């Protein structure tokens, strides 16, 4: 690992460059602007802006109802009966289909009189455009009144999408996919009730209106984000992660870690532009806000404490239970604030893997190359938060204290100048990832410096998350491309 001082100097240069590129007119205000006649300056100040872009002034809080407890999966049949379900579409994947969580859910459905259901067990881990279309086609043919998803984020996201497109029967998949990749149409109809039963402690999909898939033709991930997609109920059963392999626990837990850290350090909601002309257009990902902050910080503290315990002993019941709760809390946090750079870059990192490095992470029972989502997010983590630290030193200082198992008032934290917080946070995140056995940078999963330009190309369209990134400037312009390039190059190894 390079010395703190060396990396600090490198990122100081980056921050100096971004401050110049972010607002190039600052230098001229003391010259040409200062020589303008006073009367003219006053007129400009009082003039009504033409086509001015207004910043956001409000935020919304949306999350699914949650039920947390040991064995609560067995209540799902009663829940659906209480909702007066006529026919239930059950979604799962080939692995979970053989495990206790789905068996418990099926037994609960069967215990209710006159509650027909059908099971779709072909959900793909890390879904693709093709796998989503198959699931949508299956659901459209069956006239379900309600949906039930039992599985990890891939299963829950697939069920959300199938629900959406059974209501919008004539719509194409890309109609609702986030712009500029898809058309980004708003969801104006009410969807059918969906209950989500997570079997991993990671995505928080049981709480959010987000669904992610891999656009294989473009070698990156994207998704659909709208509050209408969120489940009506998330059943968070601490028994349902018992069968997870250790590697799945770690990858899922890393998703929780970076959900919470990215949402806490996203731009404030008041800095997001443009202000929506209609509330229906207000995005789910709004920027950091007081409510999301509470959930994100609790999730970050809990994950730093308990994820290493799960990695050391996956039978640790307390640690598994706390990680499940942290996943849901982080889901509420990022589901209302959003994520930014780590997630934005993770989409091409995992998407390009199928054509490029073909890395297959241990512990995943799949027959194709896979960089699990949590791993793909973590690979850039140290470099990202060194880069973002100058945007909000106090928030990054809080994160550093959590990783160092201390408080912000500890002299070891208070003595660090704001300009050095990023370098110290880099070290602490890297040390935490090392303790979990995470591959040490992009080279460890097969990428090289020659791959960086195409990874940048795959990141730039991810405007849904990148527009919430601090310090990045115009992400679609040269300054954004330059910053992304340097972050990815700094993530090749550590």
């Amino acid at each position: 690992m390079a010395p703190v001082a060396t990396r600090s100097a490198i990122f100081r240069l980056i921050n100096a460059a971004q401050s110049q590129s972010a607002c190039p007119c600052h230098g001229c205000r003391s010259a040409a602007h200062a020589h303008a006649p006073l009367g003219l300056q006053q007129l400009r100040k009082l003039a009504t802006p033409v086509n001015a872009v207004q910043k956001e002034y409000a935020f919304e809080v949306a999350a699914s109802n949650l039920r947390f407890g040991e064995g609560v999966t067995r209540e799902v049949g009663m829940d659906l009966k209480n909702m007066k379900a006529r026919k239930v579409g059950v979604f799962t994947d080939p692995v979970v289909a053989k495990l206790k969580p789905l068996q418990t859910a099926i037994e609960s459905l069967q215990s209710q009189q006159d509650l027909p259901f059908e099971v779709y067990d072909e959900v793909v881990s890390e879904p693709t455009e093709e796998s989503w279309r198959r699931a949508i086609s299956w659901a459209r043919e069956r006239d379900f009144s309600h949906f039930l998803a039992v599985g990890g984020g891939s299963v829950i996201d697939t069920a959300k999408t199938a629900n959406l497109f059974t209501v919008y029967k004539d719509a194409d998949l890309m109609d609702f996919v986030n712009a500029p990749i898809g058309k980004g149409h708003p969801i104006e109809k009410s969807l059918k009730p969906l209950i989500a039963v997570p079997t991993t402690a990671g995505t928080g999909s049981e709480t959010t209106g987000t669904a992610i898939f891999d656009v294989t033709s473009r070698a990156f991930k994207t998704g659909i984000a709208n509050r209408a997609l969120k489940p009506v109920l998330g059943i968070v059963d601490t028994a349902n992660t018992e069968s997870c392999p250790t590697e799945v626990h770690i990858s899922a837990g890393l998703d929780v870690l970076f959900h919470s850290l990215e949402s806490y350090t996203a731009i404030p909601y008041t800095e997001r532009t443009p202000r929506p002309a209609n509330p229906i257009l207000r995005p789910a990902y709004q920027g950091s806000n007081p409510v999301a902050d509470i959930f994100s910080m609790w999730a970050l503290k809990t994950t730093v404490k308990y994820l290493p315990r799960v990695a050391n002993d996956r039978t640790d019941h307390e640690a598994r239970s706390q990680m499940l709760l942290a996943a849901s809390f982080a889901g509420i946090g990022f589901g209302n604030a959003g994520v930014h750079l780590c997630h934005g870059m993770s989409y091409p990192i995992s998407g390009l893997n199928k054509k490029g490095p073909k890395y297959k992470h241990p512990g995943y029972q799949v027959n194709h190359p896979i960089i699990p989502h949590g791993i793909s997010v973590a690979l850039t983590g140290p470099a990202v938060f060194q880069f973002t630290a100058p945007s909000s030193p106090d928030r990054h200082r809080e994160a550093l204290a959590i990783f160092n198992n201390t408080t912000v008032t500890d002299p070891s934290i208070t003595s660090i100048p704001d300009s050095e917080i990023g370098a110290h946070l880099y070290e602490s995140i890297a040390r935490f990832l090392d303790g979990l056995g995470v591959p040490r940078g992009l080279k460890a999963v097969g990428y090289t410096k020659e791959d960086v330009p195409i990874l940048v190309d795959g990141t730039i369209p991810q405007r849904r998350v990148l527009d919430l990134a601090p310090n990045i400037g115009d992400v679609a312009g040269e300054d954004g491309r330059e910053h992304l390039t340097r972050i990815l190059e700094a993530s090749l190894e550590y």
Side-chain angles (χ1 to χ4, degrees), residues 68-73 96 99-102 104 150-153 156 197-204 206 235-250 252-253 256 307 310-311 313-328:
F68 182 87
E70 184 87 11
V72 289
T73 302
V96 177
L99 301 177
K100 182 179 177 181
L102 184 72
T104 302
V150 183
I156 299 172
V197 184
T199 59
T200 60
T203 67
E206 67 276 7
I235 294 182
V236 185
D237 188 338
T238 54
N240 285 345
T241 60
E242 289 177 356
S243 56
C244 274
T246 297
E247 293 83 0
V248 176
H249 277 298
I250 292 171
V256 181
L307 182 56
V310 175
D313 178 11
R314 70 184 184 90
T315 67
D316 185 332
H317 183 270
E318 180 189 15
R320 284 193 298 101
S321 298
Q322 289 298 305
M323 282 305 303
L324 262 174
L325 195 55
S328 294

Short mmCIF file of all heavy atoms in Angstrom, two decimals, residues 68-73 96 99-102 104 150-153 156 197-204 206 235-250 252-253 256 307 310-311 313-328:
data_model
loop_
_atom_site.label_atom_id
_atom_site.label_comp_id
_atom_site.label_asym_id
_atom_site.label_seq_id
_atom_site.Cartn_x
_atom_site.Cartn_y
_atom_site.Cartn_z
N PHE A 68 -39.81 -7.75 11.08
CA PHE A 68 -38.52 -8.33 11.39
C PHE A 68 -38.66 -9.34 12.52
O PHE A 68 -39.23 -9.03 13.57
CB PHE A 68 -37.55 -7.21 11.82
CG PHE A 68 -36.16 -7.66 12.14
CD1 PHE A 68 -35.21 -7.77 11.13
CD2 PHE A 68 -35.79 -7.97 13.43
CE1 PHE A 68 -33.92 -8.18 11.41
CE2 PHE A 68 -34.51 -8.38 13.73
CZ PHE A 68 -33.56 -8.49 12.72
N GLY A 69 -38.16 -10.56 12.32
CA GLY A 69 -38.22 -11.56 13.40
C GLY A 69 -37.86 -12.95 12.93
O GLY A 69 -37.87 -13.26 11.74
N GLU A 70 -37.56 -13.79 13.87
CA GLU A 70 -37.20 -15.17 13.59
C GLU A 70 -38.45 -15.96 13.23
O GLU A 70 -39.40 -16.04 14.03
CB GLU A 70 -36.54 -15.78 14.83
CG GLU A 70 -36.03 -17.20 14.65
CD GLU A 70 -34.62 -17.25 14.10
OE1 GLU A 70 -33.96 -16.19 14.06
OE2 GLU A 70 -34.17 -18.34 13.71
N GLY A 71 -38.50 -16.51 12.02
CA GLY A 71 -39.60 -17.37 11.61
C GLY A 71 -40.81 -16.67 11.02
O GLY A 71 -41.84 -17.32 10.78
N VAL A 72 -40.72 -15.37 10.75
CA VAL A 72 -41.91 -14.64 10.28
C VAL A 72 -42.30 -14.99 8.84
O VAL A 72 -43.39 -14.63 8.39
CB VAL A 72 -41.74 -13.11 10.41
CG1 VAL A 72 -41.77 -12.69 11.86
CG2 VAL A 72 -40.47 -12.64 9.74
N THR A 73 -41.46 -15.74 8.13
CA THR A 73 -41.81 -16.16 6.78
C THR A 73 -43.10 -16.98 6.78
O THR A 73 -43.90 -16.93 5.83
CB THR A 73 -40.68 -16.98 6.13
OG1 THR A 73 -39.49 -16.19 6.12
CG2 THR A 73 -41.02 -17.39 4.71
N VAL A 96 -32.37 -21.07 -4.30
CA VAL A 96 -33.30 -20.87 -3.18
C VAL A 96 -34.50 -21.81 -3.29
O VAL A 96 -35.08 -22.20 -2.27
CB VAL A 96 -33.77 -19.40 -3.13
CG1 VAL A 96 -34.80 -19.17 -2.03
CG2 VAL A 96 -32.58 -18.47 -2.91
N LEU A 99 -34.22 -24.62 -0.97
CA LEU A 99 -33.86 -24.32 0.41
C LEU A 99 -35.08 -24.04 1.28
O LEU A 99 -36.19 -23.84 0.80
CB LEU A 99 -32.90 -23.13 0.44
CG LEU A 99 -31.59 -23.31 -0.33
CD1 LEU A 99 -30.76 -22.02 -0.29
CD2 LEU A 99 -30.78 -24.48 0.23
N LYS A 100 -34.83 -23.98 2.59
CA LYS A 100 -35.90 -23.84 3.58
C LYS A 100 -36.73 -22.56 3.43
O LYS A 100 -37.96 -22.62 3.60
CB LYS A 100 -35.28 -23.90 4.98
CG LYS A 100 -36.31 -23.81 6.10
CD LYS A 100 -35.64 -23.90 7.47
CE LYS A 100 -36.66 -23.74 8.59
NZ LYS A 100 -36.01 -23.81 9.93
N PRO A 101 -36.14 -21.40 3.10
CA PRO A 101 -36.98 -20.19 3.01
C PRO A 101 -38.14 -20.34 2.03
O PRO A 101 -39.28 -19.94 2.36
CB PRO A 101 -35.99 -19.11 2.55
CG PRO A 101 -34.68 -19.57 3.09
CD PRO A 101 -34.70 -21.07 2.96
N LEU A 102 -37.89 -20.90 0.85
CA LEU A 102 -39.00 -21.06 -0.09
C LEU A 102 -39.96 -22.14 0.37
O LEU A 102 -41.18 -21.99 0.26
CB LEU A 102 -38.49 -21.40 -1.50
CG LEU A 102 -39.64 -21.47 -2.52
CD1 LEU A 102 -40.18 -20.09 -2.82
CD2 LEU A 102 -39.23 -22.17 -3.79
N THR A 104 -40.72 -22.92 3.38
CA THR A 104 -41.57 -22.33 4.43
C THR A 104 -42.64 -21.44 3.82
O THR A 104 -43.82 -21.47 4.24
CB THR A 104 -40.70 -21.52 5.40
OG1 THR A 104 -39.71 -22.36 5.97
CG2 THR A 104 -41.55 -20.91 6.51
N VAL A 150 -39.12 -14.52 -3.03
CA VAL A 150 -38.33 -15.16 -1.98
C VAL A 150 -36.92 -15.39 -2.53
O VAL A 150 -36.70 -16.26 -3.37
CB VAL A 150 -38.95 -16.50 -1.53
CG1 VAL A 150 -38.14 -17.10 -0.37
CG2 VAL A 150 -40.41 -16.32 -1.13
N GLY A 151 -35.98 -14.58 -2.07
CA GLY A 151 -34.61 -14.71 -2.58
C GLY A 151 -33.82 -13.45 -2.31
O GLY A 151 -34.23 -12.57 -1.53
N GLY A 152 -32.67 -13.33 -2.96
CA GLY A 152 -31.84 -12.15 -2.82
C GLY A 152 -32.34 -11.02 -3.70
O GLY A 152 -33.45 -11.05 -4.24
N GLY A 153 -31.50 -10.00 -3.85
CA GLY A 153 -31.89 -8.83 -4.61
C GLY A 153 -32.26 -9.13 -6.04
O GLY A 153 -33.17 -8.50 -6.61
N ILE A 156 -35.90 -10.35 -5.98
CA ILE A 156 -36.85 -9.29 -5.64
C ILE A 156 -36.95 -8.28 -6.78
O ILE A 156 -38.04 -7.84 -7.15
CB ILE A 156 -36.45 -8.61 -4.31
CG1 ILE A 156 -36.46 -9.64 -3.17
CG2 ILE A 156 -37.39 -7.46 -3.99
CD1 ILE A 156 -35.89 -9.13 -1.86
N VAL A 197 -39.37 -11.32 0.51
CA VAL A 197 -38.76 -12.07 1.60
C VAL A 197 -37.27 -12.24 1.27
O VAL A 197 -36.90 -13.15 0.53
CB VAL A 197 -39.43 -13.45 1.79
CG1 VAL A 197 -38.84 -14.17 2.99
CG2 VAL A 197 -40.94 -13.30 1.93
N PRO A 198 -36.40 -11.36 1.77
CA PRO A 198 -34.98 -11.46 1.41
C PRO A 198 -34.31 -12.66 2.06
O PRO A 198 -34.59 -13.01 3.22
CB PRO A 198 -34.39 -10.15 1.95
CG PRO A 198 -35.30 -9.75 3.06
CD PRO A 198 -36.68 -10.21 2.65
N THR A 199 -33.40 -13.29 1.31
CA THR A 199 -32.62 -14.41 1.83
C THR A 199 -31.14 -14.08 1.89
O THR A 199 -30.32 -14.95 2.17
CB THR A 199 -32.82 -15.67 0.95
OG1 THR A 199 -32.42 -15.37 -0.39
CG2 THR A 199 -34.27 -16.12 0.98
N THR A 200 -30.80 -12.83 1.61
CA THR A 200 -29.44 -12.32 1.81
C THR A 200 -29.53 -11.00 2.55
O THR A 200 -30.54 -10.29 2.45
CB THR A 200 -28.69 -12.11 0.48
OG1 THR A 200 -29.41 -11.15 -0.31
CG2 THR A 200 -28.54 -13.41 -0.29
N ALA A 201 -28.47 -10.64 3.26
CA ALA A 201 -28.42 -9.37 3.98
C ALA A 201 -27.56 -8.42 3.16
O ALA A 201 -26.38 -8.26 3.43
CB ALA A 201 -27.85 -9.57 5.38
N GLY A 202 -28.19 -7.82 2.14
CA GLY A 202 -27.39 -7.00 1.25
C GLY A 202 -28.11 -5.89 0.55
O GLY A 202 -27.95 -4.72 0.88
N THR A 203 -28.91 -6.23 -0.44
CA THR A 203 -29.41 -5.20 -1.37
C THR A 203 -30.39 -4.23 -0.73
O THR A 203 -30.53 -3.10 -1.19
CB THR A 203 -30.10 -5.84 -2.58
OG1 THR A 203 -31.29 -6.50 -2.15
CG2 THR A 203 -29.18 -6.84 -3.27
N GLY A 204 -31.12 -4.67 0.29
CA GLY A 204 -32.17 -3.83 0.84
C GLY A 204 -33.34 -3.66 -0.12
O GLY A 204 -34.18 -2.78 0.06
N GLU A 206 -35.95 -5.14 -0.43
CA GLU A 206 -37.27 -5.29 0.19
C GLU A 206 -37.84 -3.95 0.64
O GLU A 206 -39.03 -3.86 0.97
CB GLU A 206 -37.20 -6.25 1.38
CG GLU A 206 -36.40 -5.76 2.57
CD GLU A 206 -34.90 -6.00 2.46
OE1 GLU A 206 -34.45 -6.45 1.37
OE2 GLU A 206 -34.19 -5.76 3.45
N ILE A 235 -40.56 -8.95 4.49
CA ILE A 235 -40.52 -9.89 5.61
C ILE A 235 -39.06 -10.26 5.85
O ILE A 235 -38.46 -11.02 5.09
CB ILE A 235 -41.38 -11.13 5.31
CG1 ILE A 235 -42.86 -10.72 5.22
CG2 ILE A 235 -41.18 -12.20 6.37
CD1 ILE A 235 -43.82 -11.86 5.00
N VAL A 236 -38.50 -9.69 6.91
CA VAL A 236 -37.07 -9.85 7.20
C VAL A 236 -36.94 -10.91 8.29
O VAL A 236 -37.01 -10.62 9.48
CB VAL A 236 -36.46 -8.50 7.63
CG1 VAL A 236 -34.95 -8.62 7.80
CG2 VAL A 236 -36.79 -7.41 6.59
N ASP A 237 -36.72 -12.12 7.84
CA ASP A 237 -36.70 -13.31 8.70
C ASP A 237 -35.26 -13.71 8.96
O ASP A 237 -34.53 -14.08 8.03
CB ASP A 237 -37.47 -14.44 8.01
CG ASP A 237 -37.67 -15.65 8.90
OD1 ASP A 237 -36.92 -15.84 9.86
OD2 ASP A 237 -38.60 -16.45 8.59
N THR A 238 -34.84 -13.65 10.21
CA THR A 238 -33.44 -13.94 10.54
C THR A 238 -33.06 -15.39 10.29
O THR A 238 -31.87 -15.72 10.26
CB THR A 238 -33.17 -13.58 12.01
OG1 THR A 238 -34.11 -14.24 12.85
CG2 THR A 238 -33.29 -12.08 12.22
N ALA A 239 -34.05 -16.25 10.09
CA ALA A 239 -33.72 -17.65 9.77
C ALA A 239 -33.33 -17.84 8.32
O ALA A 239 -32.76 -18.87 7.95
CB ALA A 239 -34.92 -18.54 10.10
N ASN A 240 -33.62 -16.85 7.48
CA ASN A 240 -33.50 -17.06 6.04
C ASN A 240 -32.10 -16.89 5.47
O ASN A 240 -31.89 -17.12 4.29
CB ASN A 240 -34.47 -16.14 5.29
CG ASN A 240 -35.90 -16.63 5.40
OD1 ASN A 240 -36.15 -17.76 5.77
ND2 ASN A 240 -36.85 -15.75 5.09
N THR A 241 -31.14 -16.45 6.30
CA THR A 241 -29.76 -16.36 5.79
C THR A 241 -28.87 -17.47 6.34
O THR A 241 -27.66 -17.47 6.12
CB THR A 241 -29.13 -15.00 6.14
OG1 THR A 241 -29.12 -14.82 7.56
CG2 THR A 241 -29.90 -13.85 5.49
N GLU A 242 -29.47 -18.44 7.02
CA GLU A 242 -28.69 -19.54 7.60
C GLU A 242 -27.91 -20.32 6.54
O GLU A 242 -26.79 -20.77 6.78
CB GLU A 242 -29.60 -20.50 8.36
CG GLU A 242 -30.16 -19.95 9.65
CD GLU A 242 -31.10 -20.92 10.32
OE1 GLU A 242 -31.38 -21.99 9.72
OE2 GLU A 242 -31.58 -20.62 11.43
N SER A 243 -28.49 -20.47 5.36
CA SER A 243 -27.89 -21.33 4.34
C SER A 243 -26.92 -20.58 3.42
O SER A 243 -26.32 -21.19 2.53
CB SER A 243 -28.99 -21.98 3.49
OG SER A 243 -29.83 -20.98 2.93
N CYS A 244 -26.77 -19.27 3.61
CA CYS A 244 -25.88 -18.49 2.74
C CYS A 244 -24.43 -18.93 2.93
O CYS A 244 -23.93 -19.01 4.05
CB CYS A 244 -25.97 -17.01 3.07
SG CYS A 244 -27.27 -16.14 2.24
N PRO A 245 -23.70 -19.15 1.82
CA PRO A 245 -22.25 -19.38 1.94
C PRO A 245 -21.56 -18.12 2.48
O PRO A 245 -22.08 -17.01 2.33
CB PRO A 245 -21.81 -19.66 0.50
CG PRO A 245 -23.06 -20.01 -0.24
CD PRO A 245 -24.16 -19.26 0.44
N THR A 246 -20.42 -18.29 3.08
CA THR A 246 -19.69 -17.16 3.65
C THR A 246 -19.42 -16.09 2.60
O THR A 246 -19.55 -14.89 2.87
CB THR A 246 -18.36 -17.64 4.27
OG1 THR A 246 -18.65 -18.53 5.34
CG2 THR A 246 -17.54 -16.47 4.80
N GLU A 247 -19.04 -16.51 1.39
CA GLU A 247 -18.71 -15.54 0.35
C GLU A 247 -19.93 -14.68 -0.02
O GLU A 247 -19.78 -13.49 -0.35
CB GLU A 247 -18.19 -16.25 -0.89
CG GLU A 247 -16.84 -16.93 -0.72
CD GLU A 247 -16.96 -18.32 -0.09
OE1 GLU A 247 -18.10 -18.75 0.21
OE2 GLU A 247 -15.92 -18.97 0.10
N VAL A 248 -21.12 -15.27 0.02
CA VAL A 248 -22.34 -14.51 -0.28
C VAL A 248 -22.63 -13.53 0.85
O VAL A 248 -23.03 -12.38 0.61
CB VAL A 248 -23.53 -15.47 -0.51
CG1 VAL A 248 -24.82 -14.67 -0.72
CG2 VAL A 248 -23.26 -16.37 -1.71
N HIS A 249 -22.42 -13.97 2.10
CA HIS A 249 -22.58 -13.05 3.23
C HIS A 249 -21.67 -11.84 3.07
O HIS A 249 -22.09 -10.69 3.29
CB HIS A 249 -22.22 -13.76 4.54
CG HIS A 249 -23.32 -14.58 5.13
ND1 HIS A 249 -24.53 -14.05 5.53
CD2 HIS A 249 -23.39 -15.91 5.40
CE1 HIS A 249 -25.29 -15.01 6.03
NE2 HIS A 249 -24.63 -16.14 5.96
N ILE A 250 -20.43 -12.07 2.67
CA ILE A 250 -19.46 -10.97 2.57
C ILE A 250 -19.85 -10.02 1.44
O ILE A 250 -19.90 -8.79 1.63
CB ILE A 250 -18.04 -11.52 2.34
CG1 ILE A 250 -17.56 -12.25 3.59
CG2 ILE A 250 -17.07 -10.39 1.97
CD1 ILE A 250 -16.25 -13.02 3.41
N ALA A 252 -22.76 -9.56 -0.02
CA ALA A 252 -24.01 -8.87 0.30
C ALA A 252 -23.76 -7.79 1.35
O ALA A 252 -24.28 -6.67 1.26
CB ALA A 252 -25.05 -9.87 0.80
N GLY A 253 -22.94 -8.11 2.35
CA GLY A 253 -22.64 -7.15 3.39
C GLY A 253 -21.89 -5.93 2.87
O GLY A 253 -22.06 -4.81 3.38
N VAL A 256 -24.30 -3.44 1.66
CA VAL A 256 -24.84 -2.65 2.77
C VAL A 256 -23.86 -1.54 3.15
O VAL A 256 -24.24 -0.39 3.34
CB VAL A 256 -25.11 -3.55 3.99
CG1 VAL A 256 -25.69 -2.71 5.14
CG2 VAL A 256 -26.05 -4.69 3.65
N LEU A 307 -20.21 -7.35 10.16
CA LEU A 307 -19.84 -8.10 8.96
C LEU A 307 -18.57 -8.92 9.16
O LEU A 307 -18.53 -10.09 8.73
CB LEU A 307 -19.70 -7.15 7.76
CG LEU A 307 -19.35 -7.83 6.42
CD1 LEU A 307 -20.37 -8.91 6.06
CD2 LEU A 307 -19.27 -6.78 5.30
N VAL A 310 -19.61 -12.14 10.83
CA VAL A 310 -20.26 -13.11 9.93
C VAL A 310 -19.22 -13.77 9.04
O VAL A 310 -19.29 -14.98 8.77
CB VAL A 310 -21.33 -12.41 9.07
CG1 VAL A 310 -21.91 -13.39 8.06
CG2 VAL A 310 -22.45 -11.85 9.94
N ALA A 311 -18.24 -13.00 8.57
CA ALA A 311 -17.19 -13.55 7.71
C ALA A 311 -16.37 -14.60 8.45
O ALA A 311 -15.94 -15.60 7.84
CB ALA A 311 -16.29 -12.43 7.21
N ASP A 313 -17.53 -16.38 11.10
CA ASP A 313 -18.39 -17.47 11.55
C ASP A 313 -19.82 -17.21 11.07
O ASP A 313 -20.56 -16.46 11.69
CB ASP A 313 -18.35 -17.57 13.08
CG ASP A 313 -19.27 -18.66 13.63
OD1 ASP A 313 -19.78 -19.49 12.82
OD2 ASP A 313 -19.50 -18.68 14.86
N ARG A 314 -20.19 -17.84 9.98
CA ARG A 314 -21.51 -17.57 9.42
C ARG A 314 -22.65 -18.14 10.27
O ARG A 314 -23.82 -17.89 9.98
CB ARG A 314 -21.60 -18.10 7.98
CG ARG A 314 -21.62 -19.59 7.82
CD ARG A 314 -21.61 -19.97 6.34
NE ARG A 314 -21.73 -21.41 6.11
CZ ARG A 314 -22.87 -22.05 5.96
NH1 ARG A 314 -24.00 -21.38 6.01
NH2 ARG A 314 -22.90 -23.34 5.76
N THR A 315 -22.32 -18.91 11.31
CA THR A 315 -23.36 -19.40 12.22
C THR A 315 -23.61 -18.42 13.37
O THR A 315 -24.45 -18.69 14.23
CB THR A 315 -22.99 -20.77 12.80
OG1 THR A 315 -21.84 -20.62 13.67
CG2 THR A 315 -22.66 -21.77 11.70
N ASP A 316 -22.90 -17.30 13.39
CA ASP A 316 -23.07 -16.29 14.44
C ASP A 316 -24.46 -15.65 14.27
O ASP A 316 -24.66 -14.76 13.45
CB ASP A 316 -21.96 -15.25 14.31
CG ASP A 316 -21.98 -14.20 15.43
OD1 ASP A 316 -23.06 -13.93 15.98
OD2 ASP A 316 -20.91 -13.65 15.73
N HIS A 317 -25.40 -16.10 15.07
CA HIS A 317 -26.80 -15.70 14.90
C HIS A 317 -26.98 -14.20 15.14
O HIS A 317 -27.72 -13.53 14.39
CB HIS A 317 -27.68 -16.50 15.85
CG HIS A 317 -29.15 -16.21 15.70
ND1 HIS A 317 -29.81 -15.22 16.41
CD2 HIS A 317 -30.09 -16.77 14.89
CE1 HIS A 317 -31.08 -15.19 16.06
NE2 HIS A 317 -31.28 -16.12 15.14
N GLU A 318 -26.38 -13.67 16.17
CA GLU A 318 -26.54 -12.24 16.45
C GLU A 318 -26.01 -11.41 15.29
O GLU A 318 -26.66 -10.44 14.85
CB GLU A 318 -25.79 -11.85 17.72
CG GLU A 318 -25.93 -10.37 18.06
CD GLU A 318 -25.03 -9.91 19.18
OE1 GLU A 318 -24.08 -10.64 19.54
OE2 GLU A 318 -25.25 -8.78 19.68
N ALA A 319 -24.84 -11.77 14.78
CA ALA A 319 -24.25 -10.99 13.69
C ALA A 319 -25.10 -11.08 12.42
O ALA A 319 -25.31 -10.06 11.74
CB ALA A 319 -22.83 -11.49 13.41
N ARG A 320 -25.61 -12.27 12.11
CA ARG A 320 -26.47 -12.41 10.92
C ARG A 320 -27.74 -11.59 11.08
O ARG A 320 -28.20 -10.94 10.13
CB ARG A 320 -26.81 -13.88 10.67
CG ARG A 320 -25.68 -14.68 10.06
CD ARG A 320 -26.17 -16.05 9.54
NE ARG A 320 -26.69 -16.90 10.59
CZ ARG A 320 -27.99 -17.09 10.83
NH1 ARG A 320 -28.90 -16.48 10.08
NH2 ARG A 320 -28.38 -17.88 11.81
N SER A 321 -28.32 -11.61 12.26
CA SER A 321 -29.56 -10.86 12.49
C SER A 321 -29.32 -9.37 12.35
O SER A 321 -30.12 -8.64 11.73
CB SER A 321 -30.10 -11.17 13.89
OG SER A 321 -30.42 -12.54 14.02
N GLN A 322 -28.23 -8.89 12.92
CA GLN A 322 -27.92 -7.47 12.83
C GLN A 322 -27.63 -7.04 11.40
O GLN A 322 -27.97 -5.93 10.98
CB GLN A 322 -26.75 -7.12 13.74
CG GLN A 322 -27.09 -7.18 15.23
CD GLN A 322 -28.17 -6.17 15.60
OE1 GLN A 322 -28.04 -4.98 15.34
NE2 GLN A 322 -29.24 -6.66 16.22
N MET A 323 -26.99 -7.91 10.62
CA MET A 323 -26.71 -7.57 9.22
C MET A 323 -27.99 -7.52 8.39
O MET A 323 -28.11 -6.68 7.48
CB MET A 323 -25.73 -8.58 8.62
CG MET A 323 -24.28 -8.36 9.02
SD MET A 323 -23.68 -6.69 8.67
CE MET A 323 -23.97 -6.56 6.90
N LEU A 324 -28.96 -8.37 8.69
CA LEU A 324 -30.25 -8.29 8.00
C LEU A 324 -30.94 -6.98 8.29
O LEU A 324 -31.48 -6.32 7.38
CB LEU A 324 -31.14 -9.46 8.43
CG LEU A 324 -31.19 -10.69 7.53
CD1 LEU A 324 -32.01 -11.79 8.19
CD2 LEU A 324 -31.80 -10.34 6.18
N LEU A 325 -30.90 -6.58 9.55
CA LEU A 325 -31.53 -5.31 9.91
C LEU A 325 -30.77 -4.14 9.27
O LEU A 325 -31.37 -3.18 8.78
CB LEU A 325 -31.56 -5.17 11.42
CG LEU A 325 -32.47 -4.09 12.01
CD1 LEU A 325 -33.90 -4.27 11.52
CD2 LEU A 325 -32.43 -4.13 13.53
N ALA A 326 -29.44 -4.24 9.25
CA ALA A 326 -28.63 -3.19 8.63
C ALA A 326 -28.93 -3.07 7.14
O ALA A 326 -28.95 -1.96 6.59
CB ALA A 326 -27.14 -3.48 8.84
N ALA A 327 -29.15 -4.20 6.48
CA ALA A 327 -29.47 -4.17 5.05
C ALA A 327 -30.76 -3.39 4.80
O ALA A 327 -30.85 -2.58 3.87
CB ALA A 327 -29.60 -5.59 4.50
N SER A 328 -31.76 -3.63 5.64
CA SER A 328 -33.03 -2.91 5.48
C SER A 328 -32.88 -1.44 5.83
O SER A 328 -33.43 -0.57 5.15
CB SER A 328 -34.11 -3.55 6.36
OG SER A 328 -34.41 -4.86 5.92
#
